[in-house]
Amino acid sequence: MTCTYVITGASRGLGFEFIKQVSAQGHTVISLARNPDASENLQKLVDSKKVFAFKLDVLNKESIKLQKKKLIYTHVNEAASEGIDCLINNAGIIGDRECDILNTPGEEYLEVFNTNVVAVSNITQAFLPLLRKRGQERPKKVLNISSLLGSISSFSPWRPDCTDATYLVSKCALDMLTKIFSNKLACENFIVYAANPGWVKTDMGGEEAPIEACDSISDMLKVFDNVSAEQSGALIDSDGQIISW
Ligand SMILES: NC(=O)c1ccc[n+]([C@@H]2O[C@H](COP(=O)([O-])OP(=O)(O)OC[C@H]3O[C@@H](n4cnc5c(N)ncnc54)[C@H](OP(=O)(O)O)[C@@H]3O)[C@@H](O)[C@H]2O)c1
């Protein structure tokens, strides 16, 4: 069965790899990126039949409203006018990696929190009507890309300096946001969960990361295809195991 996906942060890294693999499976993909025209790789995939690209800055409420209107009320995308099956909140930032916990400015927390948490809430709210259009019969899925780094129980003394506290705090909050959305939407046959992609070679992960983006995404998509209602709300690793918060 083919589905319609909406994926944020589609210009590069894990977001782009999601678009590539999901579209190769024959699904319809609505790729959202701050500047889709600037992503050559994304443009190569766009055919405006099964793969679409629209401009969306997840921090820009007007941009979210506009895309929502376009997708719901116009015929820009006929596939989306029938509703969507899956939303992948992938866009994220790591912030200033040089900030020691003892002198991280408050604004730094706000910037990272706004992208990694508040925007996920705003995007999910905005796309709920399109997800609901699919009815109650089959599950609608929302995947929030989180990180093992947000897990308090996995935090260890090997990171005494913790120069990326804002990122860790934001992903921890994202896991709670995920759990709350999951509880709220369970009665409407939604599965909402968070995933840890592993440490992946992207602009964010860096060259020394041990995992290739293609492997991380194929693992996460296997989990995505098989995730159950019982796992809704959890933080799930790329091998399908639940990670304790
Ligand atoms: N790589 C890893 O090792 C790793 C590990 C754990 C979790 N993650 C998570 O995985 C997700 C993707 O990370 P990545 O490694 O692919 O990072 P990346 O290579 O830095 O890519 C980040 C993506 O997010 C987009 N983005 C950032 N702010 C945005 C905004 N305001 N509006 C729209 N798009 C925005 C970027 O778009 P632009 O091109 O416009 O900047 C880009 O497409 C993130 O949520 C990250 O926290 C990554």
Side-chain angles (χ1 to χ4, degrees), residues 18 44 62-63 68 77 82 124 128 156 160 182 196 199 219 224 236:
F18 264 125
K44 281 184 201 155
E62 287 311 306
S63 168
K68 181 180 155 181
N77 183 334
E82 298 292 308
T124 306
L128 268 180
S156 73
S182 155
N196 170 43
W199 182 17
D219 287 347
F224 189 85
I236 305 183

PDB file of all heavy atoms in Angstrom, residues 18 44 62-63 68 77 82 124 128 156 160 182 196 199 219 224 236:
ATOM      1  N   PHE A  18      15.658  10.539   3.902  1.00  0.00           N
ATOM      2  CA  PHE A  18      14.275  10.058   4.082  1.00  0.00           C
ATOM      3  C   PHE A  18      13.509  10.183   2.764  1.00  0.00           C
ATOM      4  O   PHE A  18      12.849   9.255   2.317  1.00  0.00           O
ATOM      5  CB  PHE A  18      13.536  10.887   5.142  1.00  0.00           C
ATOM      6  CG  PHE A  18      13.539  10.312   6.528  1.00  0.00           C
ATOM      7  CD1 PHE A  18      13.998  11.049   7.596  1.00  0.00           C
ATOM      8  CD2 PHE A  18      13.055   9.024   6.776  1.00  0.00           C
ATOM      9  CE1 PHE A  18      13.998  10.525   8.890  1.00  0.00           C
ATOM     10  CE2 PHE A  18      13.042   8.492   8.064  1.00  0.00           C
ATOM     11  CZ  PHE A  18      13.520   9.250   9.120  1.00  0.00           C
ATOM     12  N   LYS A  44      16.646  17.095  -7.867  1.00  0.00           N
ATOM     13  CA  LYS A  44      16.764  15.952  -8.791  1.00  0.00           C
ATOM     14  C   LYS A  44      15.667  14.925  -8.552  1.00  0.00           C
ATOM     15  O   LYS A  44      15.300  14.168  -9.439  1.00  0.00           O
ATOM     16  CB  LYS A  44      18.132  15.277  -8.614  1.00  0.00           C
ATOM     17  CG  LYS A  44      19.245  16.008  -9.317  1.00  0.00           C
ATOM     18  CD  LYS A  44      20.547  15.220  -9.187  1.00  0.00           C
ATOM     19  CE  LYS A  44      21.727  16.158  -9.421  1.00  0.00           C
ATOM     20  NZ  LYS A  44      22.941  15.698  -8.775  1.00  0.00           N
ATOM     21  N   GLU A  62       3.797  31.931   9.726  1.00  0.00           N
ATOM     22  CA  GLU A  62       3.068  32.307   8.507  1.00  0.00           C
ATOM     23  C   GLU A  62       3.328  31.287   7.400  1.00  0.00           C
ATOM     24  O   GLU A  62       2.428  30.905   6.653  1.00  0.00           O
ATOM     25  CB  GLU A  62       3.501  33.709   8.038  1.00  0.00           C
ATOM     26  CG  GLU A  62       2.965  34.830   8.915  1.00  0.00           C
ATOM     27  CD  GLU A  62       1.461  34.696   9.179  1.00  0.00           C
ATOM     28  OE1 GLU A  62       0.693  34.589   8.213  1.00  0.00           O
ATOM     29  OE2 GLU A  62       1.047  34.691  10.366  1.00  0.00           O
ATOM     30  N   SER A  63       4.592  30.837   7.345  1.00  0.00           N
ATOM     31  CA  SER A  63       4.984  29.847   6.341  1.00  0.00           C
ATOM     32  C   SER A  63       4.230  28.532   6.585  1.00  0.00           C
ATOM     33  O   SER A  63       3.754  27.888   5.649  1.00  0.00           O
ATOM     34  CB  SER A  63       6.503  29.671   6.441  1.00  0.00           C
ATOM     35  OG  SER A  63       6.963  28.575   5.736  1.00  0.00           O
ATOM     36  N   LYS A  68      -0.062  24.870   4.867  1.00  0.00           N
ATOM     37  CA  LYS A  68      -1.232  24.108   5.281  1.00  0.00           C
ATOM     38  C   LYS A  68      -2.410  24.450   4.366  1.00  0.00           C
ATOM     39  O   LYS A  68      -3.080  23.568   3.829  1.00  0.00           O
ATOM     40  CB  LYS A  68      -1.544  24.481   6.740  1.00  0.00           C
ATOM     41  CG  LYS A  68      -2.711  23.750   7.323  1.00  0.00           C
ATOM     42  CD  LYS A  68      -2.901  24.216   8.755  1.00  0.00           C
ATOM     43  CE  LYS A  68      -4.327  24.034   9.191  1.00  0.00           C
ATOM     44  NZ  LYS A  68      -4.552  24.502  10.552  1.00  0.00           N
ATOM     45  N   ASN A  77      -1.474  20.029  -4.683  1.00  0.00           N
ATOM     46  CA  ASN A  77      -1.068  18.640  -4.568  1.00  0.00           C
ATOM     47  C   ASN A  77      -2.296  17.776  -4.355  1.00  0.00           C
ATOM     48  O   ASN A  77      -2.856  17.727  -3.273  1.00  0.00           O
ATOM     49  CB  ASN A  77      -0.116  18.506  -3.372  1.00  0.00           C
ATOM     50  CG  ASN A  77       0.392  17.100  -3.259  1.00  0.00           C
ATOM     51  OD1 ASN A  77      -0.256  16.160  -3.707  1.00  0.00           O
ATOM     52  ND2 ASN A  77       1.535  16.947  -2.680  1.00  0.00           N
ATOM     53  N   GLU A  82      -6.324  14.514  -0.447  1.00  0.00           N
ATOM     54  CA  GLU A  82      -6.994  13.319   0.081  1.00  0.00           C
ATOM     55  C   GLU A  82      -6.531  13.003   1.497  1.00  0.00           C
ATOM     56  O   GLU A  82      -6.908  11.984   2.071  1.00  0.00           O
ATOM     57  CB  GLU A  82      -6.655  12.103  -0.795  1.00  0.00           C
ATOM     58  CG  GLU A  82      -7.112  12.221  -2.229  1.00  0.00           C
ATOM     59  CD  GLU A  82      -8.629  12.188  -2.322  1.00  0.00           C
ATOM     60  OE1 GLU A  82      -9.211  11.252  -1.759  1.00  0.00           O
ATOM     61  OE2 GLU A  82      -9.210  13.101  -2.929  1.00  0.00           O
ATOM     62  N   THR A 124       3.065  19.738  13.920  1.00  0.00           N
ATOM     63  CA  THR A 124       2.133  18.625  14.160  1.00  0.00           C
ATOM     64  C   THR A 124       0.698  19.150  14.227  1.00  0.00           C
ATOM     65  O   THR A 124      -0.210  18.589  13.595  1.00  0.00           O
ATOM     66  CB  THR A 124       2.517  17.873  15.460  1.00  0.00           C
ATOM     67  OG1 THR A 124       3.887  17.495  15.365  1.00  0.00           O
ATOM     68  CG2 THR A 124       1.662  16.631  15.661  1.00  0.00           C
ATOM     69  N   LEU A 128      -2.325  18.126  11.494  1.00  0.00           N
ATOM     70  CA  LEU A 128      -3.334  17.193  12.029  1.00  0.00           C
ATOM     71  C   LEU A 128      -4.576  17.069  11.146  1.00  0.00           C
ATOM     72  O   LEU A 128      -5.061  15.953  10.920  1.00  0.00           O
ATOM     73  CB  LEU A 128      -3.759  17.618  13.444  1.00  0.00           C
ATOM     74  CG  LEU A 128      -2.972  16.981  14.595  1.00  0.00           C
ATOM     75  CD1 LEU A 128      -3.506  17.505  15.920  1.00  0.00           C
ATOM     76  CD2 LEU A 128      -3.037  15.467  14.557  1.00  0.00           C
ATOM     77  N   SER A 156      25.975  10.119  30.751  1.00  0.00           N
ATOM     78  CA  SER A 156      27.007   9.496  31.575  1.00  0.00           C
ATOM     79  C   SER A 156      28.105  10.486  31.946  1.00  0.00           C
ATOM     80  O   SER A 156      28.250  11.538  31.331  1.00  0.00           O
ATOM     81  CB  SER A 156      27.590   8.297  30.835  1.00  0.00           C
ATOM     82  OG  SER A 156      28.397   8.768  29.790  1.00  0.00           O
ATOM     83  N   PRO A 160      31.521  15.410  31.177  1.00  0.00           N
ATOM     84  CA  PRO A 160      31.445  16.399  32.257  1.00  0.00           C
ATOM     85  C   PRO A 160      31.299  17.830  31.731  1.00  0.00           C
ATOM     86  O   PRO A 160      30.627  18.652  32.355  1.00  0.00           O
ATOM     87  CB  PRO A 160      32.762  16.220  33.017  1.00  0.00           C
ATOM     88  CG  PRO A 160      33.677  15.535  32.063  1.00  0.00           C
ATOM     89  CD  PRO A 160      32.827  14.750  31.127  1.00  0.00           C
ATOM     90  N   SER A 182       1.194  11.563  21.799  1.00  0.00           N
ATOM     91  CA  SER A 182       0.801  10.162  21.642  1.00  0.00           C
ATOM     92  C   SER A 182      -0.434   9.848  22.494  1.00  0.00           C
ATOM     93  O   SER A 182      -1.393   9.225  22.021  1.00  0.00           O
ATOM     94  CB  SER A 182       1.990   9.276  22.028  1.00  0.00           C
ATOM     95  OG  SER A 182       1.553   8.024  22.430  1.00  0.00           O
ATOM     96  N   ASN A 196      15.752   7.538  17.661  1.00  0.00           N
ATOM     97  CA  ASN A 196      17.172   7.879  17.714  1.00  0.00           C
ATOM     98  C   ASN A 196      17.821   7.358  16.435  1.00  0.00           C
ATOM     99  O   ASN A 196      17.856   6.142  16.214  1.00  0.00           O
ATOM    100  CB  ASN A 196      17.820   7.202  18.927  1.00  0.00           C
ATOM    101  CG  ASN A 196      19.343   7.335  18.889  1.00  0.00           C
ATOM    102  OD1 ASN A 196      19.881   8.399  18.584  1.00  0.00           O
ATOM    103  ND2 ASN A 196      20.042   6.239  19.181  1.00  0.00           N
ATOM    104  N   TRP A 199      24.517   7.959  15.657  1.00  0.00           N
ATOM    105  CA  TRP A 199      25.448   9.059  15.339  1.00  0.00           C
ATOM    106  C   TRP A 199      25.779   8.945  13.852  1.00  0.00           C
ATOM    107  O   TRP A 199      26.461   8.016  13.421  1.00  0.00           O
ATOM    108  CB  TRP A 199      26.698   8.941  16.209  1.00  0.00           C
ATOM    109  CG  TRP A 199      27.686  10.052  15.982  1.00  0.00           C
ATOM    110  CD1 TRP A 199      27.473  11.261  15.375  1.00  0.00           C
ATOM    111  CD2 TRP A 199      29.065  10.042  16.356  1.00  0.00           C
ATOM    112  NE1 TRP A 199      28.617  12.007  15.346  1.00  0.00           N
ATOM    113  CE2 TRP A 199      29.612  11.284  15.946  1.00  0.00           C
ATOM    114  CE3 TRP A 199      29.890   9.110  16.998  1.00  0.00           C
ATOM    115  CZ2 TRP A 199      30.955  11.607  16.161  1.00  0.00           C
ATOM    116  CZ3 TRP A 199      31.226   9.440  17.204  1.00  0.00           C
ATOM    117  CH2 TRP A 199      31.746  10.680  16.792  1.00  0.00           C
ATOM    118  N   ASP A 219      17.265   1.672   8.439  1.00  0.00           N
ATOM    119  CA  ASP A 219      16.906   1.060   9.731  1.00  0.00           C
ATOM    120  C   ASP A 219      15.671   1.741  10.334  1.00  0.00           C
ATOM    121  O   ASP A 219      14.740   1.082  10.803  1.00  0.00           O
ATOM    122  CB  ASP A 219      18.077   1.171  10.724  1.00  0.00           C
ATOM    123  CG  ASP A 219      19.207   0.212  10.368  1.00  0.00           C
ATOM    124  OD1 ASP A 219      18.987  -0.685   9.522  1.00  0.00           O
ATOM    125  OD2 ASP A 219      20.308   0.373  10.922  1.00  0.00           O
ATOM    126  N   PHE A 224       9.746   2.147  11.407  1.00  0.00           N
ATOM    127  CA  PHE A 224       8.548   2.947  11.104  1.00  0.00           C
ATOM    128  C   PHE A 224       7.428   2.077  10.521  1.00  0.00           C
ATOM    129  O   PHE A 224       6.272   2.175  10.910  1.00  0.00           O
ATOM    130  CB  PHE A 224       8.928   4.056  10.104  1.00  0.00           C
ATOM    131  CG  PHE A 224       7.855   5.067   9.864  1.00  0.00           C
ATOM    132  CD1 PHE A 224       7.706   6.154  10.711  1.00  0.00           C
ATOM    133  CD2 PHE A 224       6.987   4.948   8.786  1.00  0.00           C
ATOM    134  CE1 PHE A 224       6.710   7.099  10.492  1.00  0.00           C
ATOM    135  CE2 PHE A 224       5.987   5.884   8.557  1.00  0.00           C
ATOM    136  CZ  PHE A 224       5.851   6.963   9.419  1.00  0.00           C
ATOM    137  N   ILE A 236      12.489   5.285  20.339  1.00  0.00           N
ATOM    138  CA  ILE A 236      12.861   3.980  19.787  1.00  0.00           C
ATOM    139  C   ILE A 236      14.188   4.075  19.021  1.00  0.00           C
ATOM    140  O   ILE A 236      14.399   5.006  18.234  1.00  0.00           O
ATOM    141  CB  ILE A 236      11.743   3.432  18.866  1.00  0.00           C
ATOM    142  CG1 ILE A 236      10.410   3.390  19.645  1.00  0.00           C
ATOM    143  CG2 ILE A 236      12.092   2.052  18.331  1.00  0.00           C
ATOM    144  CD1 ILE A 236       9.238   2.807  18.864  1.00  0.00           C
TER     145      ILE A 236
END
